[in-house]
mmCIF file of all heavy atoms in Angstrom:
data_model
loop_
_atom_site.group_PDB
_atom_site.id
_atom_site.type_symbol
_atom_site.label_atom_id
_atom_site.label_comp_id
_atom_site.label_asym_id
_atom_site.label_seq_id
_atom_site.Cartn_x
_atom_site.Cartn_y
_atom_site.Cartn_z
ATOM 1 N N ASN P 79 0.256 -17.522 9.080
ATOM 2 C CA ASN P 79 -0.283 -17.833 7.765
ATOM 3 C C ASN P 79 0.746 -17.321 6.754
ATOM 4 O O ASN P 79 0.453 -16.490 5.906
ATOM 5 C CB ASN P 79 -1.647 -17.156 7.587
ATOM 6 C CG ASN P 79 -2.414 -17.701 6.413
ATOM 7 O OD1 ASN P 79 -1.940 -18.580 5.699
ATOM 8 N ND2 ASN P 79 -3.599 -17.166 6.198
ATOM 9 N N VAL P 80 1.976 -17.813 6.917
ATOM 10 C CA VAL P 80 3.134 -17.283 6.209
ATOM 11 C C VAL P 80 2.954 -17.296 4.690
ATOM 12 O O VAL P 80 3.205 -16.290 4.020
ATOM 13 C CB VAL P 80 4.416 -18.042 6.613
ATOM 14 C CG1 VAL P 80 5.599 -17.609 5.760
ATOM 15 C CG2 VAL P 80 4.713 -17.805 8.083
ATOM 16 N N GLU P 81 2.511 -18.417 4.147
ATOM 17 C CA GLU P 81 2.392 -18.531 2.687
ATOM 18 C C GLU P 81 1.433 -17.490 2.125
ATOM 19 O O GLU P 81 1.727 -16.834 1.123
ATOM 20 C CB GLU P 81 1.930 -19.943 2.316
ATOM 21 C CG GLU P 81 1.866 -20.183 0.832
ATOM 22 C CD GLU P 81 1.425 -21.600 0.471
ATOM 23 O OE1 GLU P 81 1.395 -22.471 1.352
ATOM 24 O OE2 GLU P 81 1.109 -21.816 -0.708
ATOM 25 N N VAL P 82 0.315 -17.325 2.773
ATOM 26 C CA VAL P 82 -0.684 -16.359 2.298
ATOM 27 C C VAL P 82 -0.205 -14.926 2.532
ATOM 28 O O VAL P 82 -0.387 -14.058 1.673
ATOM 29 C CB VAL P 82 -2.063 -16.619 2.947
ATOM 30 C CG1 VAL P 82 -3.053 -15.523 2.594
ATOM 31 C CG2 VAL P 82 -2.597 -17.980 2.519
ATOM 32 N N LEU P 83 0.429 -14.675 3.674
ATOM 33 C CA LEU P 83 0.943 -13.331 3.944
ATOM 34 C C LEU P 83 2.017 -12.946 2.928
ATOM 35 O O LEU P 83 2.004 -11.830 2.405
ATOM 36 C CB LEU P 83 1.482 -13.218 5.369
ATOM 37 C CG LEU P 83 2.020 -11.841 5.761
ATOM 38 C CD1 LEU P 83 0.973 -10.739 5.552
ATOM 39 C CD2 LEU P 83 2.516 -11.865 7.198
ATOM 40 N N GLN P 84 2.929 -13.847 2.619
ATOM 41 C CA GLN P 84 3.945 -13.559 1.606
ATOM 42 C C GLN P 84 3.307 -13.262 0.252
ATOM 43 O O GLN P 84 3.702 -12.316 -0.438
ATOM 44 C CB GLN P 84 4.921 -14.732 1.481
ATOM 45 C CG GLN P 84 5.877 -14.851 2.645
ATOM 46 C CD GLN P 84 6.737 -16.097 2.561
ATOM 47 O OE1 GLN P 84 6.351 -17.104 1.967
ATOM 48 N NE2 GLN P 84 7.903 -16.040 3.177
ATOM 49 N N ALA P 85 2.314 -14.054 -0.121
ATOM 50 C CA ALA P 85 1.628 -13.837 -1.401
ATOM 51 C C ALA P 85 0.905 -12.493 -1.411
ATOM 52 O O ALA P 85 0.897 -11.782 -2.427
ATOM 53 C CB ALA P 85 0.651 -14.975 -1.679
ATOM 54 N N THR P 86 0.323 -12.134 -0.286
ATOM 55 C CA THR P 86 -0.406 -10.869 -0.188
ATOM 56 C C THR P 86 0.547 -9.683 -0.260
ATOM 57 O O THR P 86 0.276 -8.694 -0.956
ATOM 58 C CB THR P 86 -1.238 -10.823 1.108
ATOM 59 O OG1 THR P 86 -2.104 -11.958 1.132
ATOM 60 C CG2 THR P 86 -2.064 -9.559 1.205
ATOM 61 N N ILE P 87 1.668 -9.776 0.445
ATOM 62 C CA ILE P 87 2.659 -8.697 0.392
ATOM 63 C C ILE P 87 3.206 -8.556 -1.031
ATOM 64 O O ILE P 87 3.378 -7.442 -1.530
ATOM 65 C CB ILE P 87 3.787 -8.930 1.417
ATOM 66 C CG1 ILE P 87 3.234 -8.777 2.845
ATOM 67 C CG2 ILE P 87 4.942 -7.955 1.190
ATOM 68 C CD1 ILE P 87 4.215 -9.187 3.939
ATOM 69 N N GLN P 88 3.452 -9.666 -1.693
ATOM 70 C CA GLN P 88 3.930 -9.624 -3.081
ATOM 71 C C GLN P 88 2.870 -8.995 -3.992
ATOM 72 O O GLN P 88 3.179 -8.155 -4.841
ATOM 73 C CB GLN P 88 4.281 -11.020 -3.582
ATOM 74 C CG GLN P 88 4.823 -11.044 -4.998
ATOM 75 C CD GLN P 88 6.116 -10.264 -5.155
ATOM 76 O OE1 GLN P 88 7.089 -10.522 -4.469
ATOM 77 N NE2 GLN P 88 6.130 -9.294 -6.070
ATOM 78 N N ALA P 89 1.612 -9.391 -3.800
ATOM 79 C CA ALA P 89 0.518 -8.822 -4.599
ATOM 80 C C ALA P 89 0.391 -7.327 -4.345
ATOM 81 O O ALA P 89 0.136 -6.541 -5.275
ATOM 82 C CB ALA P 89 -0.795 -9.534 -4.289
ATOM 83 N N CYS P 90 0.595 -6.912 -3.110
ATOM 84 C CA CYS P 90 0.529 -5.491 -2.773
ATOM 85 C C CYS P 90 1.648 -4.727 -3.488
ATOM 86 O O CYS P 90 1.406 -3.666 -4.063
ATOM 87 C CB CYS P 90 0.625 -5.314 -1.259
ATOM 88 S SG CYS P 90 0.337 -3.625 -0.711
ATOM 89 N N ALA P 91 2.856 -5.281 -3.460
ATOM 90 C CA ALA P 91 3.970 -4.637 -4.163
ATOM 91 C C ALA P 91 3.662 -4.509 -5.650
ATOM 92 O O ALA P 91 3.911 -3.455 -6.257
ATOM 93 C CB ALA P 91 5.260 -5.436 -3.945
ATOM 94 N N ASP P 92 3.090 -5.560 -6.231
ATOM 95 C CA ASP P 92 2.744 -5.525 -7.657
ATOM 96 C C ASP P 92 1.660 -4.484 -7.943
ATOM 97 O O ASP P 92 1.751 -3.730 -8.916
ATOM 98 C CB ASP P 92 2.288 -6.901 -8.130
ATOM 99 C CG ASP P 92 3.407 -7.936 -8.106
ATOM 100 O OD1 ASP P 92 4.599 -7.554 -8.046
ATOM 101 O OD2 ASP P 92 3.082 -9.145 -8.129
ATOM 102 N N ALA P 93 0.628 -4.441 -7.102
ATOM 103 C CA ALA P 93 -0.448 -3.467 -7.286
ATOM 104 C C ALA P 93 0.079 -2.041 -7.155
ATOM 105 O O ALA P 93 -0.308 -1.152 -7.932
ATOM 106 C CB ALA P 93 -1.569 -3.709 -6.270
ATOM 107 N N CYS P 94 0.973 -1.828 -6.217
ATOM 108 C CA CYS P 94 1.561 -0.503 -6.037
ATOM 109 C C CYS P 94 2.396 -0.099 -7.249
ATOM 110 O O CYS P 94 2.352 1.049 -7.683
ATOM 111 C CB CYS P 94 2.413 -0.471 -4.773
ATOM 112 S SG CYS P 94 1.449 -0.462 -3.246
ATOM 113 N N ARG P 95 3.151 -1.036 -7.798
ATOM 114 C CA ARG P 95 3.966 -0.744 -8.976
ATOM 115 C C ARG P 95 3.077 -0.331 -10.159
ATOM 116 O O ARG P 95 3.323 0.686 -10.818
ATOM 117 C CB ARG P 95 4.810 -1.965 -9.368
ATOM 118 C CG ARG P 95 5.643 -1.763 -10.626
ATOM 119 C CD ARG P 95 6.391 -3.021 -11.032
ATOM 120 N NE ARG P 95 5.558 -4.221 -11.073
ATOM 121 C CZ ARG P 95 4.688 -4.531 -12.053
ATOM 122 N NH1 ARG P 95 4.530 -3.711 -13.079
ATOM 123 N NH2 ARG P 95 3.994 -5.649 -12.010
ATOM 124 N N VAL P 96 2.025 -1.104 -10.400
ATOM 125 C CA VAL P 96 1.124 -0.828 -11.521
ATOM 126 C C VAL P 96 0.401 0.509 -11.319
ATOM 127 O O VAL P 96 0.280 1.315 -12.248
ATOM 128 C CB VAL P 96 0.121 -1.995 -11.698
ATOM 129 C CG1 VAL P 96 -0.973 -1.648 -12.688
ATOM 130 C CG2 VAL P 96 0.860 -3.258 -12.135
ATOM 131 N N CYS P 97 -0.057 0.751 -10.107
ATOM 132 C CA CYS P 97 -0.760 2.006 -9.816
ATOM 133 C C CYS P 97 0.193 3.198 -9.959
ATOM 134 O O CYS P 97 -0.179 4.225 -10.524
ATOM 135 C CB CYS P 97 -1.369 1.956 -8.416
ATOM 136 S SG CYS P 97 -2.496 3.320 -8.067
ATOM 137 N N ALA P 98 1.414 3.052 -9.473
ATOM 138 C CA ALA P 98 2.401 4.139 -9.587
ATOM 139 C C ALA P 98 2.682 4.463 -11.051
ATOM 140 O O ALA P 98 2.772 5.640 -11.425
ATOM 141 C CB ALA P 98 3.692 3.755 -8.877
ATOM 142 N N GLU P 99 2.800 3.434 -11.886
ATOM 143 C CA GLU P 99 3.045 3.652 -13.308
ATOM 144 C C GLU P 99 1.898 4.420 -13.957
ATOM 145 O O GLU P 99 2.118 5.337 -14.755
ATOM 146 C CB GLU P 99 3.263 2.316 -14.018
ATOM 147 C CG GLU P 99 4.583 1.650 -13.669
ATOM 148 C CD GLU P 99 4.688 0.210 -14.160
ATOM 149 O OE1 GLU P 99 3.713 -0.308 -14.773
ATOM 150 O OE2 GLU P 99 5.741 -0.409 -13.926
ATOM 151 N N GLU P 100 0.666 4.051 -13.619
ATOM 152 C CA GLU P 100 -0.493 4.740 -14.189
ATOM 153 C C GLU P 100 -0.583 6.175 -13.684
ATOM 154 O O GLU P 100 -0.791 7.103 -14.470
ATOM 155 C CB GLU P 100 -1.779 3.979 -13.861
ATOM 156 C CG GLU P 100 -3.037 4.621 -14.413
ATOM 157 C CD GLU P 100 -3.105 4.649 -15.933
ATOM 158 O OE1 GLU P 100 -2.482 3.805 -16.604
ATOM 159 O OE2 GLU P 100 -3.817 5.537 -16.472
ATOM 160 N N CYS P 101 -0.432 6.363 -12.388
ATOM 161 C CA CYS P 101 -0.511 7.719 -11.840
ATOM 162 C C CYS P 101 0.595 8.609 -12.392
ATOM 163 O O CYS P 101 0.378 9.796 -12.627
ATOM 164 C CB CYS P 101 -0.461 7.683 -10.316
ATOM 165 S SG CYS P 101 -2.046 7.335 -9.539
ATOM 166 N N ALA P 102 1.764 8.027 -12.619
ATOM 167 C CA ALA P 102 2.880 8.810 -13.163
ATOM 168 C C ALA P 102 2.541 9.380 -14.538
ATOM 169 O O ALA P 102 3.011 10.466 -14.899
ATOM 170 C CB ALA P 102 4.141 7.953 -13.235
ATOM 171 N N ARG P 103 1.696 8.689 -15.289
ATOM 172 C CA ARG P 103 1.284 9.185 -16.612
ATOM 173 C C ARG P 103 0.496 10.494 -16.518
ATOM 174 O O ARG P 103 0.429 11.255 -17.482
ATOM 175 C CB ARG P 103 0.430 8.137 -17.331
ATOM 176 C CG ARG P 103 1.204 6.927 -17.752
ATOM 177 C CD ARG P 103 0.331 5.976 -18.573
ATOM 178 N NE ARG P 103 1.076 4.770 -18.827
ATOM 179 C CZ ARG P 103 0.801 3.589 -18.296
ATOM 180 N NH1 ARG P 103 -0.249 3.439 -17.513
ATOM 181 N NH2 ARG P 103 1.552 2.546 -18.561
ATOM 182 N N HIS P 104 -0.120 10.719 -15.390
ATOM 183 C CA HIS P 104 -0.969 11.906 -15.196
ATOM 184 C C HIS P 104 -0.346 12.905 -14.229
ATOM 185 O O HIS P 104 -0.965 13.916 -13.901
ATOM 186 C CB HIS P 104 -2.350 11.489 -14.652
ATOM 187 C CG HIS P 104 -2.974 10.363 -15.398
ATOM 188 N ND1 HIS P 104 -3.514 10.515 -16.645
ATOM 189 C CD2 HIS P 104 -3.121 9.048 -15.085
ATOM 190 C CE1 HIS P 104 -3.981 9.352 -17.070
ATOM 191 N NE2 HIS P 104 -3.746 8.440 -16.141
ATOM 192 N N SER P 105 0.850 12.626 -13.757
ATOM 193 C CA SER P 105 1.430 13.415 -12.665
ATOM 194 C C SER P 105 1.758 14.857 -13.040
ATOM 195 O O SER P 105 1.758 15.729 -12.170
ATOM 196 C CB SER P 105 2.678 12.718 -12.121
ATOM 197 O OG SER P 105 3.669 12.622 -13.120
ATOM 198 N N GLU P 106 2.031 15.114 -14.310
ATOM 199 C CA GLU P 106 2.313 16.497 -14.709
ATOM 200 C C GLU P 106 1.045 17.338 -14.763
ATOM 201 O O GLU P 106 1.094 18.553 -14.581
ATOM 202 C CB GLU P 106 3.034 16.522 -16.055
ATOM 203 C CG GLU P 106 4.462 16.010 -15.957
ATOM 204 C CD GLU P 106 5.215 16.158 -17.259
ATOM 205 O OE1 GLU P 106 4.823 16.995 -18.107
ATOM 206 O OE2 GLU P 106 6.204 15.430 -17.422
ATOM 207 N N GLN P 107 -0.100 16.678 -15.002
ATOM 208 C CA GLN P 107 -1.376 17.392 -15.078
ATOM 209 C C GLN P 107 -2.071 17.467 -13.723
ATOM 210 O O GLN P 107 -2.831 18.404 -13.472
ATOM 211 C CB GLN P 107 -2.315 16.687 -16.057
ATOM 212 C CG GLN P 107 -1.822 16.681 -17.487
ATOM 213 C CD GLN P 107 -2.618 15.705 -18.321
ATOM 214 O OE1 GLN P 107 -2.609 14.505 -18.060
ATOM 215 N NE2 GLN P 107 -3.322 16.242 -19.306
ATOM 216 N N HIS P 108 -1.843 16.472 -12.874
ATOM 217 C CA HIS P 108 -2.593 16.370 -11.615
ATOM 218 C C HIS P 108 -1.654 16.081 -10.449
ATOM 219 O O HIS P 108 -1.042 15.011 -10.402
ATOM 220 C CB HIS P 108 -3.644 15.258 -11.708
ATOM 221 C CG HIS P 108 -4.529 15.358 -12.901
ATOM 222 N ND1 HIS P 108 -5.430 16.378 -13.078
ATOM 223 C CD2 HIS P 108 -4.625 14.584 -14.007
ATOM 224 C CE1 HIS P 108 -6.070 16.217 -14.229
ATOM 225 N NE2 HIS P 108 -5.590 15.130 -14.814
ATOM 226 N N ASP P 109 -1.550 17.025 -9.539
ATOM 227 C CA ASP P 109 -0.693 16.833 -8.366
ATOM 228 C C ASP P 109 -1.105 15.628 -7.543
ATOM 229 O O ASP P 109 -0.251 14.947 -6.978
ATOM 230 C CB ASP P 109 -0.686 18.080 -7.485
ATOM 231 C CG ASP P 109 0.194 19.183 -8.037
ATOM 232 O OD1 ASP P 109 1.104 18.874 -8.845
ATOM 233 O OD2 ASP P 109 -0.017 20.351 -7.664
ATOM 234 N N HIS P 110 -2.410 15.344 -7.488
ATOM 235 C CA HIS P 110 -2.845 14.200 -6.688
ATOM 236 C C HIS P 110 -2.287 12.903 -7.249
ATOM 237 O O HIS P 110 -1.943 11.986 -6.495
ATOM 238 C CB HIS P 110 -4.369 14.138 -6.537
ATOM 239 C CG HIS P 110 -5.148 14.200 -7.807
ATOM 240 N ND1 HIS P 110 -5.412 13.091 -8.579
ATOM 241 C CD2 HIS P 110 -5.732 15.255 -8.443
ATOM 242 C CE1 HIS P 110 -6.129 13.447 -9.627
ATOM 243 N NE2 HIS P 110 -6.327 14.763 -9.578
ATOM 244 N N CYS P 111 -2.130 12.816 -8.564
ATOM 245 C CA CYS P 111 -1.543 11.625 -9.176
ATOM 246 C C CYS P 111 -0.042 11.548 -8.885
ATOM 247 O O CYS P 111 0.499 10.457 -8.665
ATOM 248 C CB CYS P 111 -1.797 11.592 -10.682
ATOM 249 S SG CYS P 111 -3.507 11.162 -11.111
ATOM 250 N N ARG P 112 0.629 12.686 -8.842
ATOM 251 C CA ARG P 112 2.060 12.701 -8.494
ATOM 252 C C ARG P 112 2.256 12.213 -7.063
ATOM 253 O O ARG P 112 3.114 11.359 -6.794
ATOM 254 C CB ARG P 112 2.629 14.121 -8.641
ATOM 255 C CG ARG P 112 4.103 14.226 -8.244
ATOM 256 C CD ARG P 112 4.586 15.672 -8.200
ATOM 257 N NE ARG P 112 3.725 16.585 -7.465
ATOM 258 C CZ ARG P 112 3.685 16.678 -6.135
ATOM 259 N NH1 ARG P 112 4.421 15.890 -5.389
ATOM 260 N NH2 ARG P 112 2.879 17.551 -5.555
#
Side-chain angles (χ1 to χ4, degrees):
N79 194 359
V80 173
E81 184 179 347
V82 173
L83 181 56
Q84 287 174 333
T86 304
I87 292 172
Q88 182 62 56
C90 188
D92 293 343
C94 287
R95 177 184 49 77
V96 170
C97 190
E99 289 169 359
E100 180 65 26
C101 278
R103 291 185 186 111
H104 312 286
S105 62
E106 289 185 22
Q107 296 167 298
H108 308 293
D109 282 338
H110 52 85
C111 286
R112 178 188 49 78

